[in-house]
Amino acid sequence: MNIASLIDSNPFSLAERYRQGDPEVIELFGLHPSQEEHWARRALLLDETSERRASLEQVALAIRTYQSKLPYYSEAAASLEKLEQSRTLVVVGGQQAGLFGGALLIYYKALSVVQTAREAEKRLGRPVVPVFWIAGEDHDFDEANHVNIQSPKGGIRRIRIERPEGPRLAVSRTPLTTQQWETALQELADQLPDSEFKPALLERLQSHITDCPSLSLAFARLLADWFGREGLLLLDADDPNLRALEGPMFRELIVRNNELETALKAGESQVLSKGFKLQAETNPGSANLFLHHEHGRLLLHKEKDRFIDRRGHVSYSQEQMLELTSNSPDCLSTNALTRPLMQDYLLPVLAAVLGPSELAYWGILGPTFHEFGMSVPLLIPRQSFTYLEPNVTKLLDKYSLSVEEAITDWEQKKSEWLAEQDEWNLEEKFRLAKRQFEELYAPVIDTVSSLQPGLATLAATNRDKILEQITYLESRSLDAIAKQHEASLRQWDRIHQSLSPLDKPQERIYGTVHFWNRYGPEWLVRWLEVPYQATGGQRLVESLTNS
């Protein structure tokens, strides 16, 4: 296994400066994983504030009930037993579900959660459990309903399930039919290239959808298969058993909603004062809460002393909202800015694993945590990888191309290589021909212009047409060279499609299922051997398999 660091594409971003340990950025959060004492400090603080959180025993019971819907692994069962112990801490990371496991970055986030928990347990000498928080309450179905693979012909193919007609419900509340699941799985089977691993892969995915689950539940089952043996626990933010425990925190968010808004604005000011742009600016009057309703998941706003949605479906007094926290907490849900507070209320969060965008918007949350008597946990940048496939390694060597060049300068390098194949020096010859023609033709234009002024325009048009024909011949000649090297150009395209598909990071485009099909379950397992880095960073990994 070979591992090398890659240069971050945005070295001055808030997330990258935090990762590098910039003191000015760390001020926004308070703790940093590179500081050994900060791990112990956070653990001590959680011990001192345990009475302010939900009952860990009841939270563990809710997770146990949810885990019963997932494939069973004894290591996950052991994590549940640890979670019920008073001294247990957790490392949490979350994501919205993804069809058939979604993009690679989700796999890498779960991997980061597992490895961080393992590392923290060694550092602190006490139980630390990995937990993956599925954002099933989110209603953006189009973010969850697809996965990208590479088809047998080499193109990128998106497999998707269309959102059912009707209100935009939370993903975990969006019912899917047997026909929808079977159609999606059949399309995946048709588009995945044949491999020795494909039959078992499809059989396992089929086992997850026989009872026609929600996208979130099918996703949880697949993550359990991938990381259950590492003790990973899974929860759904929209689980009614968890919601039943969240009433007291919802009550705080409602009663102190004005203070919540003020704290968020203070956090935004701190980020702006350090020269960063806001990842997502808060809207004036937003309650930063959602209501699950027959018309969908409704974002709530404050208007005088009432909580309303902009479409006019609901208008609740504070008293009515508080009644919901007691009698129907499953009607409420957090947004991206209040979810971290709810997470900290439910669980003894030692550390949270975050992607770059999440780190950016968590930058404004310091004052909000403080306002509610909490503090920001240790934030662990999600480990980020580019996998260098064996056949791509050979192609890079063949064309003397570095990975960085292939990712950031592929088009230019490809053009330069093709130009080198021009043994006739066609571009220079055509350039010389055009110049010589223009020099020879200039006296003609001068002569005819002196005969009759109107002929000047005709002569210039005639010149341009001839130049256009020369350019056309040049283009056809260069196309002929490209055609002679068609096979090689396809190899250049193969490099680009592997490392930077659609000009985006590999981990954001391809689904984990794409590589699982190509390299088998061993490829998934061997990621656990990649050395852990608490401060994350983009790394290049090759030789995970013997292929």
Side-chain angles (χ1 to χ4, degrees):
M1 182 184 299
N2 300 319
I3 303 171
S5 295
L6 291 173
I7 298 174
D8 190 88
S9 60
N10 191 4
F12 303 109
S13 67
L14 187 152
E16 181 60 15
R17 284 177 60 183
Y18 172 81
R19 193 185 75 77
Q20 296 287 353
D22 186 329
E24 186 179 11
V25 176
I26 293 175
E27 286 178 2
L28 296 170
F29 304 100
L31 302 174
H32 194 267
S34 66
Q35 304 297 314
E36 187 71 31
E37 66 274 14
H38 287 185
W39 295 79
R41 185 189 303 176
R42 175 64 180 173
L44 178 60
L45 180 63
L46 290 171
D47 290 340
E48 294 172 345
T49 57
S50 60
E51 296 301 317
R52 302 181 193 173
R53 292 191 296 277
S55 164
L56 192 55
E57 185 177 353
Q58 291 181 352
V59 172
L61 178 59
I63 295 177
R64 185 181 296 278
T65 302
Y66 185 73
Q67 288 279 142
S68 69
K69 305 173 186 177
L70 313 180
Y72 176 84
Y73 291 94
S74 59
E75 296 85 353
S79 287
L80 267 170
E81 292 178 4
K82 287 201 297 185
L83 190 61
E84 294 170 332
Q85 301 172 18
S86 60
R87 295 187 71 250
T88 296
L89 305 173
V90 305
V91 171
V92 65
Q95 198 82 23
Q96 193 176 38
L99 179 64
F100 301 133
L104 262 175
L105 65 86
I106 299 176
Y107 186 89
Y108 296 152
K109 180 173 280 189
L111 173 71
S112 300
V113 170
V114 165
Q115 290 188 322
T116 301
R118 185 186 300 165
E119 175 72 14
E121 197 164 82
K122 292 177 184 176
R123 286 177 185 246
L124 299 174
R126 58 188 292 182
V128 181
V129 171
V131 175
F132 197 92
W133 180 291
I134 301 169
E137 62 191 358
D138 285 356
H139 59 276
D140 193 342
F141 193 80
D142 289 338
E143 284 191 4
N145 70 340
H146 62 272
V147 66
N148 295 321
I149 61 168
Q150 195 175 93
S151 70
K153 293 182 179 180
I156 297 171
R157 181 62 183 259
R158 172 163 289 192
I159 312 298
R160 60 185 292 136
I161 292 179
E162 296 297 335
R163 184 179 73 83
E165 294 294 329
R168 298 180 71 84
L169 304 175
V171 171
S172 292
R173 303 186 187 199
T174 301
L176 298 177
T177 65
T178 300
Q179 181 63 45
Q180 284 176 299
W181 274 117
E182 288 181 351
T183 299
L185 188 60
Q186 185 59 55
E187 186 177 3
L188 181 70
D190 292 342
Q191 294 300 324
L192 276 177
D194 289 334
S195 75
E196 61 181 297
F197 310 110
K198 183 176 175 179
L201 179 159
L202 294 173
E203 182 180 353
R204 193 56 183 165
L205 292 179
Q206 177 67 55
S207 73
H208 294 155
I209 62 173
T210 52
D211 58 346
C212 200
S214 67
L215 265 175
S216 298
L217 182 54
F219 171 77
R221 288 168 174 170
L222 187 52
L223 277 188
D225 271 347
W226 288 343
F227 292 102
R229 290 186 179 86
E230 306 308 314
L232 182 68
L233 298 180
L234 295 120
L235 63 82
D236 187 334
D238 200 42
D239 180 359
N241 293 317
L242 277 180
R243 280 282 186 259
L245 306 176
E246 294 176 352
M249 189 64 207
F250 276 124
R251 186 179 186 87
E252 286 287 298
L253 292 170
I254 292 166
V255 170
R256 302 175 62 196
N257 204 264
N258 290 335
E259 290 88 342
L260 168 65
E261 183 177 5
T262 300
L264 289 171
K265 284 298 180 185
E268 288 181 345
S269 295
Q270 289 182 359
V271 169
L272 290 170
S273 70
K274 296 182 182 298
F276 297 108
K277 294 181 180 179
L278 297 177
Q279 179 68 24
E281 189 172 0
T282 58
N283 295 316
S286 173
N288 293 289
L289 293 171
F290 283 91
L291 179 74
H292 294 287
H293 189 268
E294 62 181 9
H295 290 288
R297 184 172 179 245
L298 308 178
L299 179 62
L300 296 177
H301 297 265
K302 294 169 291 183
E303 190 172 279
K304 296 181 180 179
D305 60 346
R306 302 192 72 80
F307 290 79
I308 67 165
D309 76 296
R310 295 298 196 202
R311 297 181 181 179
H313 294 303
V314 297
S315 177
Y316 288 178
S317 67
Q318 186 180 94
E319 290 71 23
Q320 289 172 313
M321 290 290 292
L322 293 176
E323 186 177 344
L324 289 176
T325 69
S326 299
N327 300 330
S328 305
D330 60 324
C331 289
L332 300 169
S333 75
T334 54
N335 73 350
L337 297 176
T338 48
R339 185 182 299 144
L341 301 176
M342 187 63 76
Q343 187 173 275
D344 217 60
Y345 170 73
L346 281 179
L347 298 165
V349 181
L350 173 69
V353 174
L354 305 177
S357 296
E358 291 173 301
L359 266 169
Y361 75 71
W362 273 62
I364 74 169
L365 293 181
T368 305
F369 271 90
H370 180 74
E371 177 65 36
F372 287 85
M374 303 173 174
S375 63
V376 181
L378 279 161
L379 301 183
I380 311 298
R382 171 181 62 79
Q383 297 185 94
S384 185
F385 304 103
T386 296
Y387 177 60
L388 185 56
E389 299 181 78
N391 60 339
V392 174
T393 301
K394 297 174 183 176
L395 294 177
L396 291 172
D397 291 340
K398 177 178 179 179
Y399 298 109
S400 301
L401 194 65
S402 71
V403 172
E404 287 83 357
E405 289 172 334
I407 292 174
T408 63
D409 203 20
W410 171 81
E411 190 69 53
Q412 178 65 29
K413 292 296 181 181
K414 177 184 174 184
S415 297
E416 290 175 357
W417 176 85
L418 186 57
E420 290 171 1
Q421 311 315 305
D422 177 11
E423 60 185 273
W424 304 275
N425 200 17
L426 287 177
E427 287 192 16
E428 180 58 31
K429 286 182 178 178
F430 275 101
R431 185 162 42 249
L432 179 60
K434 290 176 185 177
R435 191 181 74 238
Q436 290 177 339
F437 166 73
E438 288 186 275
E439 290 174 353
L440 288 170
Y441 201 72
V444 174
I445 294 178
D446 292 340
T447 300
V448 299
S449 299
S450 65
L451 289 173
Q452 184 178 328
L455 291 176
T457 302
L458 179 60
T461 300
N462 186 49
R463 176 202 61 200
D464 292 344
K465 285 184 177 180
I466 294 172
L467 287 172
E468 183 181 322
Q469 288 299 310
I470 295 174
T471 300
Y472 174 72
L473 179 59
E474 178 185 11
S475 175
R476 291 295 302 270
S477 301
L478 293 174
D479 284 347
I481 293 176
K483 195 170 185 63
Q484 289 180 0
H485 299 280
E486 196 170 1
S488 294
L489 291 175
R490 282 199 299 269
Q491 292 177 340
W492 276 85
D493 291 343
R494 171 76 182 98
I495 293 170
H496 186 64
Q497 201 151 43
S498 175
L499 297 176
S500 191
L502 303 179
D503 294 321
K504 294 180 180 179
Q506 179 193 77
E507 62 185 22
R508 291 191 172 276
I509 299 299
Y510 288 126
T512 305
V513 69
H514 162 75
F515 293 94
W516 179 13
N517 177 67
R518 180 167 286 181
Y519 301 111
E522 179 195 359
W523 186 87
L524 299 172
V525 172
R526 292 208 63 194
W527 280 105
L528 293 160
E529 302 171 17
V530 175
Y532 170 69
Q533 286 188 355
T535 54
Q538 176 69 227
R539 284 183 284 172
L540 178 72
V541 176
E542 61 176 317
S543 302
L544 274 178
T545 69
N546 296 320
S547 300

